[in-house]
Coordinates of all heavy atoms in Angstrom, one line a residue:
M28 N 59.2 -52.8 -33.1 CA 58.6 -53.4 -34.3 C 58.2 -52.3 -35.2 O 57.5 -51.4 -34.7 CB 57.5 -54.3 -33.9 CG 56.7 -54.8 -35.1 SD 55.2 -55.8 -34.8 CE 55.6 -56.9 -33.5
G29 N 58.6 -52.3 -36.4 CA 58.2 -51.3 -37.4 C 56.8 -51.5 -37.8 O 56.2 -52.6 -37.7
W30 N 56.2 -50.4 -38.4 CA 54.8 -50.5 -38.8 C 54.6 -51.4 -40.0 O 53.6 -52.0 -40.1 CB 54.3 -49.1 -39.1 CG 54.9 -48.3 -40.2 CD1 56.0 -47.4 -40.0 CD2 54.6 -48.4 -41.6 NE1 56.3 -46.9 -41.3 CE2 55.5 -47.5 -42.2 CE3 53.7 -49.1 -42.3 CZ2 55.5 -47.3 -43.6 CZ3 53.7 -48.8 -43.7 CH2 54.6 -48.0 -44.3
R31 N 55.6 -51.6 -40.8 CA 55.5 -52.6 -41.9 C 55.4 -54.0 -41.4 O 54.7 -54.8 -41.9 CB 56.7 -52.4 -42.9 CG 56.7 -51.1 -43.7 CD 57.9 -51.1 -44.6 NE 58.2 -49.7 -45.0 CZ 57.8 -49.2 -46.1 NH1 57.1 -49.9 -47.0 NH2 58.1 -47.9 -46.4
T32 N 56.2 -54.3 -40.4 CA 56.2 -55.6 -39.8 C 54.9 -55.8 -39.1 O 54.3 -56.9 -39.1 CB 57.4 -55.7 -38.7 OG1 58.6 -55.4 -39.4 CG2 57.4 -57.1 -38.1
M33 N 54.4 -54.8 -38.4 CA 53.1 -54.9 -37.7 C 52.0 -55.1 -38.7 O 51.1 -56.0 -38.5 CB 52.8 -53.6 -36.9 CG 51.5 -53.7 -36.1 SD 51.3 -52.4 -34.9 CE 50.9 -51.0 -36.0
A34 N 52.0 -54.4 -39.9 CA 51.0 -54.6 -40.9 C 51.0 -56.1 -41.4 O 50.0 -56.7 -41.6 CB 51.1 -53.6 -42.0
A35 N 52.3 -56.5 -41.7 CA 52.4 -57.9 -42.2 C 52.0 -58.9 -41.2 O 51.3 -59.9 -41.6 CB 53.9 -58.1 -42.6
A36 N 52.2 -58.7 -39.9 CA 51.8 -59.6 -38.9 C 50.2 -59.7 -38.8 O 49.6 -60.7 -38.7 CB 52.4 -59.3 -37.5
L37 N 49.6 -58.5 -38.9 CA 48.1 -58.4 -38.9 C 47.6 -59.1 -40.1 O 46.6 -59.9 -40.0 CB 47.7 -57.0 -38.8 CG 48.0 -56.2 -37.5 CD1 47.7 -54.7 -37.7 CD2 47.1 -56.8 -36.4
D38 N 48.2 -58.9 -41.2 CA 47.7 -59.6 -42.4 C 47.9 -61.1 -42.4 O 47.1 -61.9 -42.9 CB 48.4 -59.0 -43.7 CG 47.8 -57.7 -44.1 OD1 46.6 -57.4 -43.8 OD2 48.5 -56.9 -44.7
A39 N 49.0 -61.5 -41.8 CA 49.2 -63.0 -41.6 C 48.2 -63.6 -40.7 O 47.6 -64.7 -41.0 CB 50.6 -63.2 -41.0
G40 N 47.8 -62.9 -39.6 CA 46.7 -63.4 -38.8 C 45.4 -63.4 -39.5 O 44.6 -64.4 -39.3
T41 N 45.2 -62.4 -40.3 CA 43.9 -62.3 -41.1 C 43.9 -63.5 -42.1 O 42.8 -64.2 -42.2 CB 43.8 -61.0 -41.8 OG1 43.8 -59.9 -40.9 CG2 42.6 -60.9 -42.7
A42 N 45.0 -63.8 -42.7 CA 45.1 -64.8 -43.7 C 44.8 -66.2 -43.1 O 44.0 -67.0 -43.6 CB 46.4 -64.8 -44.4
V43 N 45.4 -66.4 -41.9 CA 45.2 -67.7 -41.2 C 43.7 -67.9 -40.8 O 43.1 -68.9 -41.0 CB 46.1 -67.8 -40.0 CG1 45.8 -69.0 -39.1 CG2 47.6 -67.9 -40.4
C44 N 43.2 -66.9 -40.1 CA 41.8 -66.9 -39.7 C 40.8 -67.1 -40.8 O 39.9 -67.9 -40.8 CB 41.4 -65.7 -38.9 SG 42.2 -65.6 -37.2
S45 N 41.0 -66.3 -41.9 CA 40.2 -66.4 -43.0 C 40.3 -67.7 -43.8 O 39.3 -68.2 -44.3 CB 40.5 -65.2 -44.0 OG 40.2 -64.0 -43.4
G46 N 41.5 -68.2 -43.8 CA 41.7 -69.6 -44.5 C 40.9 -70.7 -43.7 O 40.3 -71.5 -44.3
L47 N 41.0 -70.6 -42.4 CA 40.3 -71.6 -41.5 C 38.8 -71.4 -41.7 O 38.1 -72.4 -41.8 CB 40.7 -71.4 -40.1 CG 42.2 -71.9 -39.7 CD1 42.5 -71.5 -38.3 CD2 42.3 -73.4 -40.0
N48 N 38.4 -70.2 -41.7 CA 36.9 -69.9 -41.9 C 36.4 -70.4 -43.2 O 35.4 -71.1 -43.3 CB 36.6 -68.4 -41.8 CG 36.9 -67.8 -40.4 OD1 37.1 -68.6 -39.5 ND2 37.0 -66.5 -40.4
A49 N 37.2 -70.2 -44.3 CA 36.8 -70.6 -45.6 C 36.7 -72.1 -45.7 O 35.8 -72.7 -46.3 CB 37.8 -70.1 -46.7
A50 N 37.7 -72.8 -45.1 CA 37.7 -74.3 -45.1 C 36.5 -74.8 -44.3 O 35.9 -75.8 -44.8 CB 39.0 -74.8 -44.4
Y51 N 36.2 -74.2 -43.2 CA 35.0 -74.6 -42.4 C 33.8 -74.5 -43.2 O 32.9 -75.4 -43.3 CB 34.9 -73.8 -41.1 CG 33.6 -74.1 -40.4 CD1 33.4 -75.2 -39.6 CD2 32.6 -73.2 -40.6 CE1 32.2 -75.4 -39.0 CE2 31.4 -73.4 -39.9 CZ 31.2 -74.5 -39.1 OH 30.0 -74.7 -38.5
F52 N 33.6 -73.3 -43.8 CA 32.4 -73.0 -44.6 C 32.3 -73.9 -45.8 O 31.2 -74.4 -46.2 CB 32.2 -71.5 -44.9 CG 32.0 -70.6 -43.8 CD1 32.8 -69.5 -43.6 CD2 31.0 -70.9 -42.9 CE1 32.5 -68.7 -42.5 CE2 30.7 -70.1 -41.8 CZ 31.5 -68.9 -41.6
F53 N 33.4 -74.1 -46.5 CA 33.4 -75.0 -47.7 C 33.0 -76.4 -47.3 O 32.2 -77.1 -47.9 CB 34.8 -75.0 -48.3 CG 34.8 -75.7 -49.6 CD1 34.1 -75.2 -50.7 CD2 35.5 -76.9 -49.8 CE1 34.1 -75.9 -52.0 CE2 35.5 -77.5 -51.0 CZ 34.8 -77.0 -52.1
D54 N 33.6 -76.9 -46.1 CA 33.2 -78.2 -45.7 C 31.7 -78.3 -45.3 O 31.0 -79.3 -45.7 CB 34.0 -78.6 -44.4 CG 33.7 -80.0 -43.9 OD1 33.9 -81.0 -44.6 OD2 33.2 -80.1 -42.7
R55 N 31.2 -77.2 -44.7 CA 29.8 -77.2 -44.4 C 28.9 -77.2 -45.6 O 27.9 -77.8 -45.7 CB 29.5 -75.9 -43.5 CG 28.1 -75.6 -43.2 CD 27.8 -76.2 -41.8 NE 26.4 -76.0 -41.5 CZ 26.0 -75.3 -40.5 NH1 26.8 -74.7 -39.6 NH2 24.7 -75.2 -40.2
L56 N 29.4 -76.5 -46.6 CA 28.7 -76.4 -47.9 C 28.6 -77.8 -48.6 O 27.6 -78.2 -49.1 CB 29.4 -75.4 -48.8 CG 28.7 -75.0 -50.1 CD1 27.4 -74.3 -49.7 CD2 29.6 -74.1 -50.9
L57 N 29.7 -78.5 -48.5 CA 29.8 -79.9 -49.1 C 29.0 -80.9 -48.4 O 28.5 -81.9 -48.9 CB 31.2 -80.3 -49.3 CG 32.1 -79.5 -50.3 CD1 33.5 -80.1 -50.3 CD2 31.4 -79.6 -51.7
S58 N 28.9 -80.7 -47.0 CA 28.2 -81.7 -46.2 C 26.7 -81.7 -46.5 O 26.0 -82.7 -46.2 CB 28.5 -81.5 -44.7 OG 27.8 -80.3 -44.3
G59 N 26.1 -80.6 -47.0 CA 24.7 -80.6 -47.3 C 23.9 -80.6 -46.0 O 24.3 -80.4 -44.9
G60 N 22.6 -81.0 -46.1 CA 21.8 -81.2 -45.0 C 21.1 -79.9 -44.5 O 20.2 -79.9 -43.7
D61 N 21.6 -78.7 -44.9 CA 21.0 -77.5 -44.5 C 19.9 -77.0 -45.5 O 19.9 -77.5 -46.6 CB 22.1 -76.4 -44.5 CG 23.1 -76.5 -43.3 OD1 22.7 -77.0 -42.3 OD2 24.3 -76.2 -43.5
A62 N 19.1 -76.2 -45.0 CA 18.0 -75.6 -45.9 C 18.7 -74.8 -47.0 O 19.8 -74.3 -46.8 CB 17.1 -74.7 -45.0
R63 N 18.0 -74.6 -48.0 CA 18.5 -73.8 -49.2 C 19.0 -72.4 -48.8 O 20.1 -72.0 -49.2 CB 17.5 -73.7 -50.3 CG 18.0 -73.1 -51.6 CD 16.9 -73.1 -52.7 NE 17.5 -72.6 -53.9 CZ 17.6 -71.3 -54.2 NH1 17.3 -70.4 -53.4 NH2 18.1 -71.0 -55.4
A64 N 18.3 -71.7 -48.0 CA 18.7 -70.4 -47.6 C 20.0 -70.4 -46.8 O 20.8 -69.6 -47.0 CB 17.6 -69.7 -46.8
R65 N 20.1 -71.4 -46.0 CA 21.3 -71.5 -45.2 C 22.5 -71.9 -46.1 O 23.6 -71.4 -45.9 CB 21.2 -72.5 -44.1 CG 22.4 -72.6 -43.2 CD 22.2 -73.2 -41.9 NE 21.4 -72.3 -41.1 CZ 21.2 -72.4 -39.8 NH1 21.9 -73.2 -39.2 NH2 20.5 -71.6 -39.2
R66 N 22.3 -72.8 -47.1 CA 23.4 -73.1 -48.0 C 23.8 -71.9 -48.8 O 25.0 -71.7 -49.0 CB 22.9 -74.2 -49.0 CG 22.9 -75.6 -48.3 CD 22.8 -76.7 -49.3 NE 21.8 -76.5 -50.4 CZ 20.5 -76.8 -50.3 NH1 20.1 -77.5 -49.3 NH2 19.7 -76.6 -51.3
V67 N 22.9 -71.0 -49.2 CA 23.3 -69.8 -49.8 C 24.1 -68.9 -48.9 O 25.1 -68.3 -49.3 CB 22.0 -69.0 -50.4 CG1 22.4 -67.6 -50.8 CG2 21.3 -69.8 -51.4
A68 N 23.7 -68.8 -47.7 CA 24.5 -68.0 -46.7 C 25.9 -68.5 -46.5 O 26.8 -67.8 -46.4 CB 23.7 -67.9 -45.4
V69 N 26.0 -69.8 -46.4 CA 27.3 -70.5 -46.2 C 28.1 -70.3 -47.4 O 29.3 -70.0 -47.3 CB 27.1 -72.0 -45.9 CG1 28.4 -72.7 -45.9 CG2 26.4 -72.2 -44.5
F70 N 27.5 -70.3 -48.6 CA 28.3 -70.1 -49.8 C 28.9 -68.7 -49.8 O 30.0 -68.5 -50.1 CB 27.4 -70.3 -51.1 CG 28.1 -70.0 -52.3 CD1 29.0 -70.8 -52.9 CD2 27.8 -68.8 -53.0 CE1 29.6 -70.5 -54.1 CE2 28.4 -68.4 -54.2 CZ 29.3 -69.3 -54.7
V71 N 28.0 -67.7 -49.5 CA 28.5 -66.3 -49.4 C 29.6 -66.1 -48.4 O 30.6 -65.5 -48.7 CB 27.3 -65.4 -49.1 CG1 27.8 -63.9 -48.8 CG2 26.4 -65.3 -50.3
L72 N 29.5 -66.7 -47.2 CA 30.5 -66.7 -46.2 C 31.8 -67.3 -46.7 O 32.9 -66.9 -46.3 CB 30.0 -67.3 -44.9 CG 29.0 -66.4 -44.1 CD1 28.4 -67.2 -43.0 CD2 29.6 -65.1 -43.6
T73 N 31.7 -68.4 -47.4 CA 32.9 -69.1 -48.0 C 33.6 -68.1 -48.9 O 34.8 -68.0 -48.8 CB 32.5 -70.3 -48.8 OG1 31.8 -71.2 -47.9 CG2 33.7 -71.0 -49.4
I74 N 32.9 -67.4 -49.8 CA 33.5 -66.5 -50.8 C 34.1 -65.3 -50.0 O 35.2 -64.9 -50.3 CB 32.4 -66.0 -51.8 CG1 31.9 -67.2 -52.6 CG2 33.0 -64.9 -52.7 CD1 32.9 -67.9 -53.4
V75 N 33.4 -64.8 -49.1 CA 34.0 -63.6 -48.3 C 35.2 -64.0 -47.6 O 36.2 -63.3 -47.6 CB 32.9 -63.1 -47.3 CG1 33.5 -62.1 -46.3 CG2 31.8 -62.4 -48.1
S76 N 35.2 -65.2 -46.9 CA 36.4 -65.6 -46.2 C 37.6 -65.9 -47.1 O 38.7 -65.5 -46.8 CB 36.1 -66.9 -45.4 OG 35.1 -66.6 -44.4
F77 N 37.3 -66.5 -48.2 CA 38.4 -66.8 -49.2 C 38.9 -65.5 -49.8 O 40.1 -65.4 -49.9 CB 37.8 -67.7 -50.3 CG 38.9 -68.1 -51.3 CD1 39.8 -69.0 -51.0 CD2 38.9 -67.6 -52.6 CE1 40.8 -69.4 -51.9 CE2 39.9 -68.0 -53.5 CZ 40.8 -68.9 -53.1
G78 N 38.0 -64.6 -50.1 CA 38.5 -63.3 -50.6 C 39.3 -62.5 -49.6 O 40.3 -61.9 -50.0
T79 N 39.0 -62.6 -48.3 CA 39.7 -61.9 -47.3 C 41.1 -62.5 -47.2 O 42.1 -61.8 -47.0 CB 39.0 -61.9 -46.0 OG1 37.7 -61.4 -46.1 CG2 39.7 -61.1 -44.9
M80 N 41.2 -63.8 -47.3 CA 42.5 -64.5 -47.2 C 43.4 -64.1 -48.4 O 44.5 -63.8 -48.2 CB 42.3 -66.0 -47.2 CG 43.6 -66.8 -47.1 SD 43.4 -68.6 -47.4 CE 42.9 -68.7 -49.1
I81 N 42.8 -64.1 -49.6 CA 43.6 -63.7 -50.8 C 44.0 -62.3 -50.7 O 45.2 -62.0 -51.0 CB 42.7 -64.0 -52.0 CG1 42.4 -65.5 -52.2 CG2 43.5 -63.4 -53.3 CD1 43.7 -66.3 -52.3
E82 N 43.2 -61.4 -50.2 CA 43.5 -60.0 -50.0 C 44.7 -59.9 -49.1 O 45.7 -59.2 -49.4 CB 42.4 -59.2 -49.5 CG 42.7 -57.7 -49.2 CD 41.7 -57.0 -48.3 OE1 41.2 -57.7 -47.5 OE2 41.6 -55.8 -48.6
A83 N 44.6 -60.5 -47.9 CA 45.7 -60.4 -46.9 C 47.0 -61.0 -47.5 O 48.1 -60.4 -47.3 CB 45.3 -61.2 -45.7
L84 N 47.0 -62.1 -48.2 CA 48.2 -62.7 -48.8 C 48.8 -61.7 -49.9 O 50.0 -61.6 -50.0 CB 47.9 -64.0 -49.4 CG 47.6 -65.1 -48.4 CD1 47.2 -66.4 -49.1 CD2 48.8 -65.4 -47.4
A85 N 47.9 -61.1 -50.7 CA 48.4 -60.2 -51.7 C 49.0 -58.9 -51.1 O 50.0 -58.4 -51.6 CB 47.2 -59.7 -52.6
L86 N 48.4 -58.5 -50.0 CA 49.0 -57.3 -49.3 C 50.4 -57.7 -48.7 O 51.3 -56.8 -48.7 CB 48.1 -56.8 -48.2 CG 46.8 -56.1 -48.8 CD1 45.8 -55.8 -47.7 CD2 47.2 -54.8 -49.5
I87 N 50.5 -58.9 -48.1 CA 51.8 -59.3 -47.6 C 52.8 -59.3 -48.7 O 54.0 -58.9 -48.6 CB 51.7 -60.7 -46.9 CG1 50.9 -60.5 -45.6 CG2 53.1 -61.2 -46.6 CD1 50.5 -61.9 -45.0
A88 N 52.4 -59.9 -49.9 CA 53.3 -60.0 -51.0 C 53.7 -58.6 -51.5 O 54.9 -58.4 -51.9 CB 52.7 -60.8 -52.1
S89 N 52.8 -57.7 -51.6 CA 53.1 -56.4 -52.1 C 54.0 -55.6 -51.1 O 54.8 -54.8 -51.5 CB 51.8 -55.6 -52.4 OG 51.2 -55.2 -51.3
A90 N 53.8 -55.8 -49.9 CA 54.6 -55.1 -48.9 C 56.0 -55.6 -48.8 O 57.0 -54.9 -48.5 CB 54.0 -55.2 -47.5
G91 N 56.2 -56.9 -49.2 CA 57.5 -57.5 -49.3 C 58.4 -57.0 -50.5 O 59.6 -57.2 -50.5
G92 N 57.7 -56.4 -51.4 CA 58.4 -56.0 -52.6 C 58.9 -54.6 -52.5 O 59.6 -54.2 -51.5
S93 N 58.5 -53.7 -53.4 CA 59.0 -52.3 -53.4 C 58.5 -51.6 -52.2 O 57.3 -51.7 -51.8 CB 58.5 -51.6 -54.6 OG 58.7 -50.3 -54.6
H94 N 59.3 -50.9 -51.5 CA 58.9 -50.1 -50.3 C 58.2 -48.8 -50.8 O 57.8 -48.0 -49.9 CB 60.1 -49.8 -49.4 CG 60.6 -51.0 -48.8 ND1 59.9 -51.7 -47.9 CD2 61.8 -51.6 -48.9 CE1 60.6 -52.7 -47.4 NE2 61.8 -52.7 -48.1
D95 N 58.1 -48.6 -52.1 CA 57.4 -47.4 -52.6 C 56.0 -47.7 -52.9 O 55.3 -46.9 -53.5 CB 58.1 -46.8 -53.8 CG 59.5 -46.3 -53.4 OD1 59.7 -45.9 -52.3 OD2 60.4 -46.4 -54.3
A96 N 55.5 -49.0 -52.7 CA 54.2 -49.4 -53.0 C 53.2 -48.5 -52.3 O 53.4 -48.2 -51.1 CB 54.0 -50.9 -52.7
P97 N 52.1 -48.1 -53.0 CA 51.0 -47.3 -52.3 C 50.5 -48.0 -51.0 O 50.1 -47.3 -50.1 CB 50.0 -47.1 -53.4 CG 50.5 -47.6 -54.6 CD 51.7 -48.4 -54.3
V98 N 50.4 -49.3 -51.0 CA 49.9 -50.1 -49.9 C 50.7 -49.8 -48.7 O 50.2 -49.7 -47.5 CB 49.9 -51.6 -50.2 CG1 49.5 -52.4 -49.0 CG2 48.8 -51.9 -51.3
A99 N 52.0 -49.6 -48.8 CA 52.9 -49.4 -47.7 C 53.2 -47.9 -47.5 O 54.3 -47.6 -47.2 CB 54.1 -50.2 -47.9
A100 N 52.3 -47.0 -47.9 CA 52.6 -45.6 -47.9 C 52.7 -45.0 -46.5 O 53.3 -43.9 -46.4 CB 51.5 -44.9 -48.7
S101 N 52.0 -45.5 -45.5 CA 52.0 -44.8 -44.2 C 51.8 -45.8 -43.1 O 51.3 -46.9 -43.3 CB 50.9 -43.8 -44.2 OG 49.6 -44.5 -44.1
A102 N 52.2 -45.4 -41.9 CA 52.0 -46.2 -40.7 C 50.5 -46.4 -40.4 O 50.1 -47.4 -39.8 CB 52.7 -45.6 -39.5
G103 N 49.7 -45.5 -40.9 CA 48.2 -45.6 -40.6 C 47.6 -46.9 -41.3 O 46.6 -47.4 -40.8
W104 N 48.3 -47.3 -42.3 CA 47.9 -48.5 -43.0 C 47.9 -49.7 -42.1 O 46.9 -50.5 -42.1 CB 48.7 -48.8 -44.3 CG 48.3 -50.0 -45.0 CD1 48.8 -51.3 -45.0 CD2 47.1 -50.1 -45.8 NE1 48.1 -52.1 -45.7 CE2 47.0 -51.5 -46.2 CE3 46.1 -49.3 -46.1 CZ2 46.0 -51.9 -47.0 CZ3 45.0 -49.7 -46.9 CH2 45.0 -51.0 -47.4
A105 N 48.9 -49.8 -41.2 CA 48.9 -50.9 -40.3 C 47.7 -50.9 -39.3 O 47.2 -51.9 -39.0 CB 50.2 -50.9 -39.5
M106 N 47.3 -49.7 -39.0 CA 46.2 -49.6 -38.0 C 44.9 -50.0 -38.7 O 44.0 -50.6 -38.1 CB 46.1 -48.2 -37.5 CG 47.3 -47.7 -36.7 SD 47.9 -49.0 -35.5 CE 46.5 -49.0 -34.4
V107 N 44.8 -49.7 -40.0 CA 43.5 -50.1 -40.8 C 43.4 -51.6 -40.9 O 42.3 -52.2 -40.9 CB 43.6 -49.4 -42.2 CG1 42.5 -50.0 -43.1 CG2 43.4 -47.9 -42.0
R108 N 44.5 -52.3 -40.9 CA 44.5 -53.7 -41.1 C 44.0 -54.5 -39.8 O 43.8 -55.7 -39.9 CB 46.0 -54.2 -41.4 CG 46.6 -53.7 -42.7 CD 45.7 -53.8 -43.9 NE 45.3 -55.2 -44.2 CZ 44.2 -55.5 -44.8 NH1 43.4 -54.7 -45.3 NH2 44.0 -56.8 -45.0
V109 N 43.8 -53.8 -38.7 CA 43.2 -54.4 -37.5 C 41.8 -54.8 -37.8 O 41.3 -55.8 -37.3 CB 43.3 -53.4 -36.3 CG1 42.5 -53.9 -35.2 CG2 44.8 -53.2 -36.0
L110 N 41.1 -54.0 -38.6 CA 39.6 -54.3 -38.8 C 39.4 -55.7 -39.5 O 38.6 -56.5 -39.0 CB 39.0 -53.2 -39.6 CG 39.0 -51.9 -38.8 CD1 38.5 -50.7 -39.7 CD2 38.1 -52.0 -37.6
P111 N 40.1 -56.0 -40.6 CA 39.8 -57.3 -41.2 C 40.3 -58.4 -40.3 O 39.6 -59.5 -40.3 CB 40.7 -57.3 -42.5 CG 40.9 -55.9 -42.8 CD 40.9 -55.2 -41.5
L112 N 41.3 -58.2 -39.5 CA 41.8 -59.2 -38.6 C 40.7 -59.4 -37.5 O 40.3 -60.6 -37.2 CB 43.1 -58.9 -37.9 CG 43.5 -59.8 -36.8 CD1 43.7 -61.3 -37.4 CD2 44.8 -59.4 -36.2
A113 N 40.1 -58.4 -37.0 CA 39.1 -58.5 -36.0 C 37.8 -59.2 -36.5 O 37.3 -60.1 -35.9 CB 38.7 -57.1 -35.5
G114 N 37.5 -58.9 -37.8 CA 36.3 -59.6 -38.4 C 36.6 -61.1 -38.6 O 35.7 -61.9 -38.2
S115 N 37.7 -61.4 -39.1 CA 38.1 -62.8 -39.4 C 38.2 -63.6 -38.1 O 37.8 -64.7 -38.0 CB 39.3 -62.9 -40.2 OG 39.2 -62.3 -41.5
A116 N 38.9 -63.0 -37.1 CA 39.1 -63.6 -35.8 C 37.7 -63.8 -35.1 O 37.5 -64.8 -34.4 CB 40.0 -62.9 -34.9
G117 N 36.8 -62.8 -35.3 CA 35.5 -62.9 -34.7 C 34.7 -64.1 -35.2 O 34.1 -64.9 -34.5
I118 N 34.8 -64.2 -36.6 CA 34.1 -65.4 -37.2 C 34.7 -66.7 -36.7 O 34.0 -67.6 -36.4 CB 34.1 -65.2 -38.7 CG1 33.3 -64.1 -39.2 CG2 33.7 -66.5 -39.4 CD1 33.4 -63.7 -40.7
S119 N 36.0 -66.7 -36.7 CA 36.7 -67.9 -36.2 C 36.3 -68.3 -34.7 O 36.1 -69.4 -34.4 CB 38.2 -67.7 -36.2 OG 38.7 -67.6 -37.5
A120 N 36.1 -67.3 -33.9 CA 35.7 -67.5 -32.5 C 34.3 -68.1 -32.5 O 34.0 -69.0 -31.7 CB 35.8 -66.2 -31.7
L121 N 33.4 -67.5 -33.4 CA 32.0 -68.0 -33.4 C 32.0 -69.5 -33.9 O 31.2 -70.3 -33.4 CB 31.2 -67.2 -34.3 CG 30.9 -65.8 -33.8 CD1 30.2 -64.9 -34.8 CD2 30.0 -65.8 -32.5
I122 N 32.8 -69.8 -34.9 CA 32.9 -71.2 -35.4 C 33.4 -72.1 -34.3 O 32.8 -73.2 -34.0 CB 33.8 -71.3 -36.6 CG1 33.1 -70.6 -37.8 CG2 34.1 -72.7 -37.0 CD1 34.1 -70.4 -39.0
A123 N 34.5 -71.7 -33.6 CA 35.0 -72.5 -32.5 C 34.0 -72.7 -31.4 O 33.9 -73.8 -30.8 CB 36.3 -71.8 -32.0
R124 N 33.3 -71.6 -31.0 CA 32.3 -71.7 -30.0 C 31.2 -72.7 -30.4 O 30.7 -73.5 -29.6 CB 31.7 -70.3 -29.7 CG 30.7 -70.4 -28.5 CD 30.1 -69.1 -28.4 NE 29.0 -69.0 -29.4 CZ 28.0 -68.1 -29.4 NH1 27.9 -67.2 -28.4 NH2 27.1 -68.2 -30.3
G125 N 30.7 -72.6 -31.6 CA 29.7 -73.5 -32.1 C 30.2 -75.0 -32.1 O 29.4 -75.9 -31.7
A126 N 31.5 -75.2 -32.5 CA 32.0 -76.6 -32.4 C 32.2 -77.1 -31.0 O 32.0 -78.2 -30.7 CB 33.3 -76.6 -33.2
W127 N 32.6 -76.2 -30.1 CA 32.8 -76.5 -28.7 C 31.5 -76.9 -28.0 O 31.5 -77.9 -27.2 CB 33.5 -75.3 -28.0 CG 33.9 -75.6 -26.6 CD1 33.1 -75.4 -25.5 CD2 35.1 -76.2 -26.2 NE1 33.8 -75.7 -24.4 CE2 35.0 -76.3 -24.8 CE3 36.2 -76.6 -26.8 CZ2 36.1 -76.8 -24.0 CZ3 37.3 -77.1 -26.1 CH2 37.2 -77.2 -24.7
F128 N 30.4 -76.2 -28.3 CA 29.2 -76.5 -27.5 C 28.2 -77.4 -28.3 O 27.0 -77.4 -28.0 CB 28.5 -75.1 -27.2 CG 29.3 -74.4 -26.2 CD1 30.0 -73.2 -26.5 CD2 29.4 -74.8 -24.9 CE1 30.7 -72.5 -25.6 CE2 30.2 -74.1 -23.9 CZ 30.8 -72.9 -24.3
R129 N 28.7 -78.1 -29.3 CA 27.7 -79.0 -30.0 C 27.5 -80.3 -29.2 O 28.2 -80.8 -28.4 CB 28.3 -79.4 -31.3 CG 28.0 -78.5 -32.3 CD 28.4 -79.0 -33.7 NE 28.3 -77.8 -34.6 CZ 28.7 -77.9 -35.8 NH1 29.1 -79.0 -36.3 NH2 28.6 -76.8 -36.6

């Protein structure tokens, strides 16, 4: 597997996890019932998750275009993409754990 394919796969995983996180937080925001401070925190997590999803999708789109794009400049880029995936997957795991043990 080439490093461009690996980076695209990591970004696809990030986009999926972040999209699910954003949907969960948005639903939580709309359901109400939480204290004001918690609603603010949920709003911020919604924005962060949505932003991470958009970033991952934009990186996939840019990598699919010109191979001279700065985003696809080195194999090291694929390794850097592990961090957003780990963060998004970690949040997804916490959401799933919370839903599982309710």
Side-chain angles (χ1 to χ4, degrees):
M28 173 186 316
W30 61 266
R31 290 177 201 264
T32 304
M33 186 171 70
L37 291 170
D38 283 331
T41 301
V43 168
C44 288
S45 295
L47 291 171
N48 296 346
Y51 169 82
F52 290 130
F53 187 70
D54 180 61
R55 176 96 184 239
L56 192 62
L57 293 179
S58 69
D61 289 326
R63 184 176 187 279
R65 182 159 294 197
R66 284 194 314 269
V67 170
V69 169
F70 176 75
V71 169
L72 288 169
T73 302
I74 298 300
V75 168
S76 295
F77 184 71
T79 305
M80 179 187 72
I81 296 300
E82 176 197 35
L84 292 174
L86 289 171
I87 291 170
S89 70
S93 170
H94 292 295
D95 296 329
V98 169
S101 70
W104 180 254
M106 299 313 296
V107 170
R108 300 309 301 157
V109 170
L110 295 173
L112 175 60
S115 296
I118 292 171
S119 293
L121 291 172
I122 290 169
R124 186 186 76 162
W127 184 266
F128 291 111
R129 275 191 194 174

